[in-house]
Amino acid sequence: MIKDIIIVGGGTAGWMTAAALSKVLGDKRYRFRLIESEQIGTVGVGEATIPMIALYNNVLGIDENEFVRETNATFKLGIEFRDWRKVGHSYFHPFGLYGVDMDGISFSHFWMRWQREGGALDFSHFNVETEAARSNRFMRTMHEAGPKLMPDVNYAYQFDAGKYAEYLKKRSIKQGVERIEGKIVHVQQDPDTGNIASVQLESGESVSGDLFIDCSGFRGLLIEGVYQAGYDDWSHWLPVNKAVAAPCEKVGEPTPYTRSTALAAGWQWRIPLQHRTGNGYVYCDQYISDDEATQVLLDNLDGKLTADPRVLKFVTGKRKKCWVKNCLAIGLSGGFLEPLESTSIHLVQVAISKLLAMFPGTHICDVVVRRFNSEMADEYESIKDFLIAHYYVTEREDSEFWRYVRSMEIPAALSERLHLFRSRGEVFVRQTELFKENSWFSVLVGQGMVPQSYHPVADAITSDELNLRMVKVRDGIRKRLEMMPSHGEYIARHCASQGGVSR
Ligand SMILES: Cc1cc2nc3c(=O)[nH]c(=O)nc-3n(C[C@H](O)[C@H](O)[C@H](O)COP(=O)(O)OP(=O)(O)OC[C@H]3O[C@@H](n4cnc5c(N)ncnc54)[C@H](O)[C@@H]3O)c2cc1C
């Protein structure tokens, strides 16, 4: 019987796992214990999210305004990519749709035809999140009675990762999770089954359990340390392998989006929170030294530095197996896709929901383990290709780094996808993929790829009808924008943290 569940690690992954498991499975049948070591600490970055996090928060019964207040969060409508296609160019990858799908095909095909016929507006003007981001506005969708004429405003959050873990820790402890402080120095396996029987702390205390969830971060203390699960290294496609992070004082109202600015050896993030701005230069150390990268970051800050710069090292890729015997890796111990599209916390959430869906009863079944591993591998794989496309499709060739990524050999599946998009303006995505056609469209066109044609259904209406439809969509977006207050104003009215946002 699985009764005693041990979570190793108290970073974002550990506390997200503890909070969800104790909420969903939390009754007297299980005992949950989380071991963390203050001596080792957490990665401590990871401030930008994608909209699915709201589902996780809902499962926990979290009040959104309270959560935003407690974590100094802001709202995020998407990512602005500066200088990625070429220096001086920028585009926005929003969370929502462009226009509305019509006659069974995506709006983008109608836009492509319209543009060929002289339509003046860039596709980004047909997306409410992009328009709101451009004018620094934000408002959650109000669900009025009656038919919904436009889709919801889609958003995620930018928050203080330390405060989020703290917030979840409080909830977990209330839900019965026991926290154990201490450094694990030894792991005891059952000699017959090979299962982990217990972990021993530096203090000499031994903690035994039936299921061990490895949230120990990059080191993969159990999954790699005990089981040598192996790692698929994807750094030949995604070569950035270091980041220097440095928070600074906020200047003015926080923007409702994350900014990624391409630099000579990688890219820089800018994540506005209510009380400060998070910044980092993600780079490949083959092309720039740590000192140089730090200097570039410091020169680019738009406020006064509030903590010393910190360099982090990583290898983009994934664990070959995330579940081995009675040990399951969640978070950085399971893999890491560089943070360009803020997918790590999402992958933590995905692993938790799969674990809950496949939760073992009396014993751990091999079929379930295999299923979990193959589904997690698919999740990582599909995001990986989307990330590679950001680098590969570019006009930049002004540094050795950019010359490498634009000419590197890419995975065959991605190559096929790009070919299809170039010829028909379409992307075929599987239902389980995280990034849908809309995301691929905005990034590929944003990066400079121009489709040669579009879906023939878009030719089935007259030019007058097409114009009418475009005007209607555009008007709908304008009306929604007019209703939106500024992002700062919205936060101040609903969910300002103490000493947080200024209008
Ligand atoms: C540069 C960078 C930028 C990122 N940006 C984003 C982003 O914008 N959005 C996003 O979603 N994600 C982002 N991430 C990822 C995000 O930071 C992580 O997914 C998240 O913090 C989860 O980390 P973790 O809990 O798996 O590991 P960690 O934070 O490393 O926590 C590990 C825990 O294990 C404990 N531990 C380890 N060894 C032992 C031991 N021997 N004994 C006891 N305890 C032990 C530690 O004390 C700690 O509590 C970023 C990551 C990096 C590197």
Side-chain angles (χ1 to χ4, degrees):
M1 251 336 236
I2 306 290
K3 279 187 171 168
D4 234 311
I5 297 158
I6 311 294
I7 298 157
V8 171
T12 311
W15 286 114
M16 280 180 77
T17 305
L21 263 53
S22 58
K23 172 78 182 182
V24 178
L25 305 169
D27 56 33
K28 298 282 176 272
R29 287 175 300 163
Y30 300 98
R31 180 180 186 192
F32 299 100
R33 282 176 291 171
L34 182 145
I35 305 169
E36 64 178 324
S37 161
E38 271 167 23
Q39 207 187 115
I40 294 174
T42 64
V43 159
V45 284
E47 301 180 330
T49 61
I50 57 175
M52 273 64 86
I53 193 168
L55 295 176
Y56 171 86
N57 284 352
N58 273 341
V59 169
L60 260 65
I62 286 175
D63 172 81
E64 190 180 47
N65 285 342
E66 178 192 278
F67 151 77
V68 170
R69 256 193 315 271
E70 292 284 317
T71 60
N72 277 323
T74 56
F75 295 96
K76 173 182 170 188
L77 295 163
I79 305 175
E80 181 196 16
F81 287 94
R82 276 197 185 172
D83 300 338
W84 275 81
R85 174 176 174 178
K86 57 186 172 193
V87 175
H89 176 269
S90 89
Y91 70 93
F92 197 76
H93 173 200
F95 290 132
L97 298 174
Y98 294 101
V100 279
D101 291 355
M102 298 184 281
D103 306 332
I105 60 163
S106 123
F107 173 84
S108 59
H109 297 282
F110 290 94
W111 173 79
M112 284 187 265
R113 174 181 163 200
W114 183 71
Q115 215 203 18
R116 274 179 202 201
E117 291 180 7
L121 290 179
D122 183 67
F123 64 94
S124 64
H125 292 284
F126 296 93
N127 172 267
V128 72
E129 288 83 3
T130 307
E131 292 281 75
R134 274 188 185 134
S135 52
N136 217 5
R137 290 166 194 252
F138 180 78
M139 190 169 84
R140 287 174 283 206
T141 312
M142 287 188 300
H143 293 281
E144 308 103 2
K148 219 161 73 170
L149 295 175
M150 294 292 289
D152 290 346
V153 170
N154 292 277
Y155 62 89
Y157 318 99
Q158 301 160 132
F159 56 53
D160 183 322
K163 286 189 186 295
Y164 187 50
E166 201 53 45
Y167 182 71
L168 294 178
K169 182 199 274 186
K170 269 192 238 153
R171 294 184 81 93
S172 305
I173 290 171
K174 245 191 223 159
Q175 288 164 193
V177 177
E178 299 164 44
R179 176 188 178 274
I180 301 171
E181 165 63 36
K183 184 176 168 190
I184 296 168
V185 288
H186 184 66
V187 181
Q188 189 80 39
Q189 283 174 270
D190 180 311
D192 297 327
T193 60
N195 280 342
I196 296 173
S198 62
V199 290
Q200 198 192 323
L201 308 183
E202 212 168 35
S203 61
E205 185 188 347
S206 172
V207 184
S208 60
D210 305 311
L211 183 67
F212 286 80
I213 305 178
D214 184 349
C215 298
S216 66
F218 288 127
R219 53 183 64 75
L221 188 70
L222 309 179
I223 198 78
E224 197 57 41
V226 175
Y227 291 119
Q228 291 95 43
Y231 199 76
D232 288 322
D233 178 343
W234 289 334
S235 44
H236 49 297
W237 289 313
L238 294 164
V240 294
N241 60 355
K242 278 194 177 164
V244 51
C248 72
E249 283 176 0
K250 66 175 175 145
V251 283
E253 231 185 84
T255 52
Y257 58 90
T258 296
R259 178 180 299 145
S260 164
T261 306
L263 298 172
W267 59 276
Q268 179 178 336
W269 80 70
R270 180 185 179 278
I271 303 178
L273 308 184
Q274 288 195 34
H275 61 313
R276 63 164 165 81
T277 305
N279 310 279
Y281 183 0
V282 184
Y283 56 96
C284 174
D285 63 3
Q286 211 181 310
Y287 304 100
I288 193 170
S289 70
D290 296 349
D291 287 348
E292 276 176 277
T294 304
Q295 197 51 55
V296 171
L297 178 68
L298 297 182
D299 291 345
N300 285 344
L301 298 186
D302 52 20
K304 220 170 112 210
L305 195 67
T306 54
D308 288 338
R310 206 156 57 96
V311 174
L312 298 139
K313 196 170 165 34
F314 55 83
V315 180
T316 293
K318 67 160 185 57
R319 204 65 65 193
K320 285 188 199 294
K321 287 180 185 165
C322 285
W323 188 340
V324 181
K325 296 199 180 280
N326 66 338
C327 167
L328 217 128
I330 294 184
L332 298 174
S333 59
F336 180 58
L337 295 172
E338 65 122 305
L340 187 56
E341 284 283 353
S342 330
T343 45
S344 270
I345 292 173
H346 171 71
L347 285 163
V348 169
Q349 185 183 337
V350 167
I352 294 170
S353 71
K354 287 190 194 301
L355 168 62
L356 281 169
M358 302 181 198
F359 200 79
T362 50
H363 67 288
I364 294 167
C365 180
D366 287 349
V367 182
V368 168
V369 172
R370 276 201 299 276
R371 177 82 189 182
F372 181 91
N373 283 328
S374 82
E375 287 192 10
M376 282 312 293
D378 280 354
E379 296 281 346
Y380 279 91
E381 286 277 352
S382 66
I383 299 173
K384 171 204 76 185
D385 280 3
F386 185 56
L387 295 180
I388 297 171
H390 291 65
Y391 290 97
Y392 181 71
V393 183
T394 180
E395 292 162 20
R396 282 191 77 141
E397 47 183 336
D398 52 297
S399 71
E400 220 185 306
F401 172 81
W402 287 101
R403 286 192 289 277
Y404 169 74
V405 290
R406 76 194 299 260
S407 60
M408 65 189 167
E409 204 172 308
I410 56 172
L414 174 60
S415 184
E416 203 169 280
R417 228 170 222 196
L418 296 182
H419 176 75
L420 178 75
F421 187 78
R422 204 179 283 111
S423 59
R424 288 173 56 98
E426 253 175 321
V427 191
F428 295 153
V429 288
R430 278 168 290 137
Q431 231 186 343
T432 50
E433 280 184 72
L434 175 61
F435 292 105
K436 305 288 187 238
E437 192 182 350
N438 190 67
S439 288
W440 282 90
F441 181 81
S442 73
V443 169
L444 293 184
V445 176
Q447 293 282 139
M449 191 172 263
V450 183
Q452 287 149 4
S453 68
Y454 49 81
H455 197 287
V457 163
D459 279 329
I461 52 173
T462 64
S463 292
D464 285 348
E465 173 67 8
L466 179 63
N467 268 320
L468 214 64
R469 288 188 186 189
M470 302 306 276
V471 168
K472 211 167 152 187
V473 170
R474 180 76 191 131
D475 282 352
I477 287 175
R478 276 221 186 94
K479 278 197 192 110
R480 295 182 96 196
L481 275 181
E482 280 164 16
M483 291 162 67
M484 290 187 183
S486 83
H487 182 217
E489 229 175 290
Y490 190 83
I491 293 175
R493 204 180 302 154
H494 299 278
C495 39
S497 57
Q498 262 193 338
V501 77
S502 59
R503 294 189 210 185

